[in-house]
Amino acid sequence: MLLRLLTLPLTAPIAGIRYCLEKVVEVAEKEMWDEEPVREQLILENQAFEEGQIDEATFRVREAELLVRLREIKEHRRELARAEAEEQPGSAVDERRRIVVIELPDEIR
């Protein structure tokens, strides 16, 4: 206990810095894998193309880049969900049996 009190002036600031860095990493990862900014950029690019601010070739290149990024984000989320499912006790992932959910738009129902 005495040793802990003596090292507190060193360990407390280090623990605080570590906590701050962990929070920064957490926020950065959340922003990196957020698909909303990518969707917004895709809408803005489409709008700029429709208004004639950019030509079709530029639009196609930017659209392709954004769609690739969206696929990366979705794949990352799938991998996280798969990892979480495997980590949960008693919930073995059975590759032979899968449940597929298909959502239909209201107009089709």
Side-chain angles (χ1 to χ4, degrees), residues 3-14:
L3 181 62
R4 210 166 195 200
L5 287 174
L6 291 174
T7 60
L8 193 59
L10 292 174
T11 58
I14 292 171

Side-chain angles (χ1 to χ4, degrees), residues 51-109:
E51 292 175 356
Q53 296 173 354
I54 58 174
D55 59 46
E56 185 174 356
T58 305
F59 170 71
R60 296 292 175 211
V61 169
R62 291 179 183 173
E63 179 187 40
E65 292 170 355
L66 292 169
L67 291 175
V68 166
R69 181 69 184 131
L70 276 176
R71 275 188 235 116
E72 288 173 354
I73 292 170
K74 288 180 181 182
E75 183 61 31
H76 176 75
R77 286 186 178 174
R78 240 181 266 127
E79 290 297 323
L80 284 178
R82 189 174 294 131
E84 287 178 11
E86 290 174 355
E87 288 176 2
Q88 292 180 356
S91 64
V93 177
D94 187 3
E95 291 295 326
R96 294 170 289 149
R97 183 172 175 226
R98 294 184 182 206
I99 297 173
V100 177
V101 177
I102 301 173
E103 295 182 12
L104 298 174
D106 292 333
E107 295 84 24
I108 296 177
R109 290 183 193 177

Side-chain angles (χ1 to χ4, degrees), residues 19-36:
Y19 174 79
C20 290
L21 290 175
E22 287 173 355
K23 288 298 172 185
V24 167
V25 168
E26 183 181 316
V27 169
E29 283 186 358
K30 184 178 178 181
E31 287 182 11
M32 181 177 173
W33 299 112
D34 185 15
E35 67 182 44
E36 199 56 37

